[in-house]
């Protein structure tokens, strides 16, 4: 899991940072919320319709290219109450950060474990971590498929 994006989410939500420092045993569940809130794979790989597909009152004809926004689905307010808020004890693993169905991520377990190890070490070793740049100065990777930072300047001592 891209730890810089999760770290930024923590720095921007000091109440959640404090909560996680006090509840580090809850990190495995919190990882799911980080993945929902800032989905690293923002767009699924390309799909094509083989038959007409109805989505609400829109029918996508057969043979069309379909781009599915996993990041958008993970902020759907009809599915996730207060979808634009990071709520680390949300305890909802029904997000689409690893895709869905036949092609769901084969490395999901490993990806979550990596995030847990990286963020856990960061929290333990640098509990006073703080953002060392203006949010508007941060540069995001120039691709619509992935959501990730080019870099994240931090101060280790608050
Ligand atoms: C947090 C980290 C990760 C995220 C967010 C992630 C996300 C995704 C997503 C969204 C898909 C489905 C794409 C689609 O349906 O178009 C996918 C597929 C896949 N991922 Fe991951 N992934 C992560 C880590 C990993 C790791 C660590 C591995 C391998 C060690 C891995 C291996 C794969 C493979 C092989 C597929 C293709 C599965 C298939 O097409 O049947 N992923 N991943």
């Amino acid at each position: 899991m891209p730890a810089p994006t999760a770290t930024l989410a923590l720095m921007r939500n000091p109440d959640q940072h404090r909560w996680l420092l006090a509840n580090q045993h809850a990190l495995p569940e919190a990882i799911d919320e980080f993945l929902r809130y800032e989905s690293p794979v923002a767009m699924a790989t390309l799909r094509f319709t083989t038959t007409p597909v109805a989505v609400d009152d829109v029918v996508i004809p057969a043979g069309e290219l379909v781009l599915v926004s996993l990041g958008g689905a993970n902020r759907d307010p009809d599915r996730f109450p207060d979808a634009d808020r990071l709520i680390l004890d949300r305890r909802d693993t029904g997000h689409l950060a690893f895709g869905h169905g036949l092609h769901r991520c084969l490395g999901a377990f490993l990806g979550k474990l990596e995030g847990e190890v990286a963020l856990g070490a960061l929290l333990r070793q640098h509990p006073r971590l703080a953002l060392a740049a203006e949010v508007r100065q941060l540069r995001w990777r120039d691709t619509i498929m992935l959501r990730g930072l080019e870099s994240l300047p931090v101060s280790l001592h608050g």
Side-chain angles (χ1 to χ4, degrees):
M1 197 196 71
T5 318
T7 306
L8 174 62
L10 266 190
M11 303 294 94
R12 298 188 72 187
N13 293 273
D15 60 320
Q16 294 299 293
H17 190 192
R18 280 192 295 276
W19 182 85
L20 195 55
L21 283 170
N23 296 277
Q24 294 192 32
H25 61 277
L27 189 55
E29 296 87 35
I31 294 290
D32 274 302
E33 174 65 354
F34 284 121
L35 287 164
R36 180 200 71 81
Y37 184 74
E38 287 284 21
S39 307
V41 179
M43 290 278 182
T45 49
L46 305 186
R47 303 297 204 266
F48 294 88
T49 49
T50 53
T51 57
V53 177
V55 181
D56 283 342
D57 51 358
V58 174
V59 177
I60 306 170
E64 289 292 332
L65 170 67
V66 179
L67 272 178
V68 178
S69 170
L70 301 174
N74 283 338
R75 294 284 190 109
D76 180 354
D78 289 339
R79 173 61 183 80
F80 300 100
D82 247 343
D84 287 337
R85 270 187 62 211
L86 179 75
I87 304 175
L88 294 177
D89 65 347
R90 190 183 285 272
R91 288 163 196 249
D92 189 338
T93 55
H95 58 76
L96 295 182
F98 291 112
H100 177 73
L102 193 63
H103 292 286
R104 188 176 188 275
C105 180
L106 277 179
F109 183 82
L110 178 61
K112 282 169 66 165
L113 193 61
E114 286 174 346
E116 211 180 302
V117 170
L119 266 187
L122 200 63
L123 287 171
R124 277 192 305 279
Q125 291 171 27
H126 303 293
R128 299 186 60 212
L129 199 73
L131 197 56
E134 297 282 335
V135 172
R136 61 186 164 74
Q137 292 173 332
L138 298 175
R139 292 173 59 88
W140 293 85
R141 282 195 219 167
D142 195 12
T143 155
I144 61 162
M145 304 302 276
L146 301 175
R147 171 110 176 125
L149 287 159
E150 298 270 4
S151 63
L152 180 66
V154 291
S155 154
L156 300 181
H157 308 293

